[in-house]
Amino acid sequence: MNVATGSPAQTRQLGEELGAAAEPGDVVLLSGELGAGKTVFVQGIAQGMGYEGQVSSKSFVIMGEYTGRVKLYHADLYRLEEPEQVEELGLGELTEDGVLVVEWPERGDWALPRGDVSVKFDVKGESHRAITLSGRTERGRTMLNALEARS
Ligand SMILES: Nc1ncnc2c1ncn2[C@@H]1O[C@H](COP(=O)(O)OP(=O)(O)OP(=O)(O)O)[C@@H](O)[C@H]1O
Ligand SMILES: [Mg+2]
C-alpha cells in the first residue's frame, strides 16, 4: 500500500487508521532516514489506539509505554550501542499484551519479533513523504486490507 502525504497531519492520520486496527500482539516496524516522519506516524497510532496524551521522540529514552484501548510500546533503537541493550528490553515478550512499534529496527533486528507490518518513509520534499506499508505476515496483510478498504 502506497500513500503520499503532504503534511505531518496527513502522516498522523494514516498512523491513526493503523492504530485503530491494531490489536495486542501486532508488531509494526518503521524505517526511513532521520526526520522522515516515523515518530509523527507513531503519534497517530497512539491516537488511533485511544491514547490521549503526548508521544515523545525517543532520542534518549529507548522505550515509551502508552496505555489507551490497549498498550502501545514504542521503541527507538537509533542510539543503541550494545547488542545486549536490545535483548534486555525483552521486546518479544512485550508483544503478548500490547502493540509494539519500533523505529530503526535494523539496528537490533536479531532481537526483534517478526514484524507484521513494515512501513517505509521516503522524504520527497520539505512536507512530502512517500509512505509504503507492507504486510509481512497473514495478520499484517489483513490489517492493510482493512485499511485500504476504508480509504
Ligand atoms: N508529510 C510529512 N509527514 C511527516 N512529517 C513531516 C511531513 N512533512 C514535514 N514533516 C516534518 O518532518 C519531521 C518528522 O519528524 P519525526 O520526528 O517524525 O521523524 P523520525 O522519522 O521519527 O526521525 P528520527 O529517526 O530522528 O526519530 C517533523 O518535523 C515534521 O513536522
Ligand atoms: Mg523518531
Side-chain angles (χ1 to χ4, degrees):
M1 178 179 182
N2 297 302
V3 181
T5 67
S7 67
Q10 285 177 9
T11 297
R12 208 171 289 119
Q13 169 70 35
L14 182 63
E16 194 173 339
E17 288 167 21
L18 187 65
E23 295 293 345
D26 292 340
V27 177
V28 180
L29 307 179
L30 311 180
S31 62
E33 65 184 82
L34 290 168
K38 301 181 294 297
T39 299
V40 167
F41 188 80
V42 179
Q43 288 166 351
I45 292 180
Q47 275 174 26
M49 289 173 61
Y51 178 73
E52 314 260 330
Q54 277 295 311
V55 170
S56 54
S57 189
K58 299 264 129 5
S59 304
F60 299 100
V61 185
I62 288 181
M63 201 63 186
E65 187 182 324
Y66 309 97
T67 305
R69 177 173 55 85
V70 294
K71 266 188 194 160
L72 167 63
Y73 295 104
H74 175 203
D76 186 334
L77 305 184
Y78 185 69
R79 283 168 199 276
L80 201 73
E81 279 161 9
E82 305 291 332
E84 294 73 30
Q85 277 181 295
V86 67
E87 279 145 26
E88 281 162 15
L89 293 174
L91 296 176
E93 288 140 49
L94 290 182
T95 63
E96 286 164 22
D97 74 331
V99 176
L100 175 65
V101 182
V102 185
E103 294 185 46
W104 294 99
E106 47 284 318
R107 309 239 158 155
D109 52 10
W110 67 90
L112 288 181
R114 180 162 183 198
D116 295 293
V117 175
S118 300
V119 189
K120 191 163 129 302
F121 298 79
D122 286 309
V123 178
K124 295 291 181 190
E126 195 171 342
S127 50
H128 287 83
R129 305 290 187 267
I131 304 176
T132 309
L133 300 99
S134 315
R136 301 291 181 202
T137 61
E138 208 44 52
R139 166 63 189 154
R141 286 186 281 275
T142 302
M143 280 171 91
L144 294 186
N145 286 339
L147 223 69
E148 246 167 333
R150 226 174 303 144
S151 60

